[in-house]
Amino acid sequence: MDITQAIETRRSIRSYTEEPVTKAELEKLVDLAIKAPTGSGMEPWGFVVLQDRQEIDELSERIKKKVLDHLEEYPQFAQYESWLRNEHYHIFNKAGTVLVIYGDEHSPWHVYDCSLVAGNIMLAAQNDGIGCCWIGFAEALFNDEDFKAAHHVPGNFHLVATLSMGHTKVPVPPCTRKAPVFFSWK
Ligand SMILES: Cc1cc2nc3c(=O)[nH]c(=O)nc-3n(C[C@H](O)[C@H](O)[C@H](O)COP(=O)(O)O)c2cc1C
């Protein structure tokens, strides 16, 4: 698959086969992803990999509860209240792998750099039949001190991106987008 095809066909994938994403597969994707440009050459990224079924399921429940209990603190999630109240809704779509990308706040560019890494992972994964979905809901928990401490994330690292990942079960047709707006083109 060439890069154009990967970009054209990538979609957010929310349905996965039982086949696990292996350590080798994930290491290959991360090694490729960190070829991303990096402000001031600081490479301010760090990763947490979650692959324990029970832990991922528990985290999904904790995130749903925390957001619903403090909905006023999460105006960005208000439109999804009915999803969160659905007992069958799983924040990570039952993915077997969740990759959490943290950025070092010592770099003023860490959010950009880590977002580029996340984008690279999603495109490279597409080439391997591995589907990803960025999970914004995870922001409710993965920046918490107790979660970070439990996963050895240093205090100066801040959550940037969470990707649920798994071998794609149901491919999604290529996306359509609104026409781009050019504010000026002289
Ligand atoms: C910052 C960000 C946060 C997102 N959060 C979620 C999420 O919590 N749950 C989810 O199912 N999809 C989430 N998505 C995926 C978007 O819904 C998806 O990218 C969008 O609908 C466009 O679809 P596509 O990725 O298939 O082209 C998120 C995407 C981004 C970039």
Side-chain angles (χ1 to χ4, degrees):
M1 182 179 285
D2 69 20
I3 187 68
T4 305
Q5 203 183 354
I7 293 170
E8 290 265 16
T9 58
R10 182 221 58 85
R11 295 298 311 274
S12 292
I13 297 299
R14 301 180 176 88
S15 153
Y16 312 100
T17 69
E18 293 297 314
E19 184 185 351
V21 176
T22 65
K23 187 166 187 284
E25 285 175 321
L26 198 51
E27 280 176 346
K28 182 187 127 188
L29 291 177
V30 171
D31 285 346
L32 277 172
I34 61 175
K35 308 284 186 196
T38 167
S40 307
M42 291 178 77
E43 307 182 38
W45 37 69
F47 303 89
V48 168
V49 179
L50 304 171
Q51 291 190 309
D52 182 273
R53 176 75 279 143
Q54 192 181 340
E55 182 181 17
I56 293 171
D57 293 346
E58 285 170 4
L59 289 167
S60 171
E61 288 307 308
R62 280 177 62 193
I63 291 168
K64 288 167 71 176
K65 182 170 180 351
K66 186 172 179 196
V67 174
L68 285 171
D69 286 352
H70 303 92
L71 212 46
E72 69 291 347
E73 291 174 28
Y74 302 104
Q76 71 274 36
F77 298 146
Q79 64 179 311
Y80 304 110
E81 183 177 349
S82 63
W83 296 17
L84 297 166
R85 292 201 185 283
N86 181 343
E87 62 174 313
H88 301 296
Y89 180 64
H90 192 289
I91 292 284
F92 305 105
N93 302 298
K94 302 193 173 147
T97 295
V98 177
L99 178 69
V100 196
I101 307 176
Y102 289 91
D104 184 346
E105 289 175 322
H106 291 137
S107 164
W109 318 111
H110 68 276
V111 175
Y112 308 130
D113 292 7
C114 293
S115 298
L116 288 164
V117 167
N120 272 357
I121 287 182
M122 291 189 272
L123 292 177
Q126 180 68 5
N127 187 47
D128 295 342
I130 294 173
C132 305
C133 187
W134 186 313
I135 303 296
F137 283 129
E139 295 196 357
L141 200 65
F142 289 176
N143 253 334
D144 287 6
E145 290 310 319
D146 60 338
F147 180 86
K148 287 167 65 174
H151 295 85
H152 315 293
V153 180
N156 50 305
F157 277 74
H158 193 82
L159 174 70
V160 176
T162 304
L163 302 179
S164 58
M165 304 177 71
H167 288 269
T168 300
K169 185 172 188 181
V170 183
V172 180
C175 67
T176 55
R177 292 286 191 258
K178 291 182 276 190
V181 176
F182 297 95
F183 294 116
S184 178
W185 189 330
K186 292 185 187 176

